[in-house]
Amino acid sequence: MLIDVRAAERFRGEHEPIDRVAGHVPGAVNAPLAGNTDETSRFRSDAGLRKRFADLGVADGGPVAAYCGSGVTATQTLLALRLAGFGDAALYPGSWSGWITDPSRPVATGD
């Protein structure tokens, strides 16, 4: 399971304000970072986070990794996954900016 935490319009390839290529890693699911927190900018409840990630297909014991644009904000999702009880998740530190440095890597757009 690979989670892209960027805003939905960046994931879909509709708007890319930073990188020269728009889209996402094929097979990734989108879980925008803002969905980890409530209206007061605090993490959602552990149960709320668990439901959020389970609805995306994260499963107990299954491998999961997160990425963003540069590897920084995805770390918050790693903590959210831990709070949700899914244990350790991996960070793809190169993230989207790293993925697109090799033109032979596939790029997906849309949902």
Side-chain angles (χ1 to χ4, degrees), residues 5-111:
V5 307
R6 296 174 302 148
E9 62 273 7
R10 289 184 72 193
F11 176 83
R12 292 189 301 262
E14 297 166 357
H15 176 69
E16 181 48 65
I18 298 169
D19 292 302
R20 60 178 172 72
V21 177
H24 61 271
V25 175
V29 297
N30 188 222
L33 184 67
N36 292 338
T37 55
D38 63 19
E39 62 281 348
T40 67
S41 298
R42 295 177 187 261
F43 276 112
R44 291 178 183 223
S45 69
D46 295 354
L49 288 169
R50 184 159 185 87
K51 179 175 180 357
R52 177 177 199 238
F53 294 120
D55 288 350
L56 289 170
V58 176
D60 286 321
V64 62
Y67 75 94
C68 54
S70 62
V72 176
T73 58
T75 58
Q76 187 204 69
T77 294
L78 301 183
L79 177 56
L81 285 159
R82 173 62 81 105
L83 293 172
F86 289 109
D88 290 333
L91 172 68
Y92 172 33
S95 287
W96 183 246
S97 294
W99 181 263
I100 61 170
T101 61
D102 182 347
S104 70
R105 291 183 183 138
V107 171
T109 57
D111 288 324

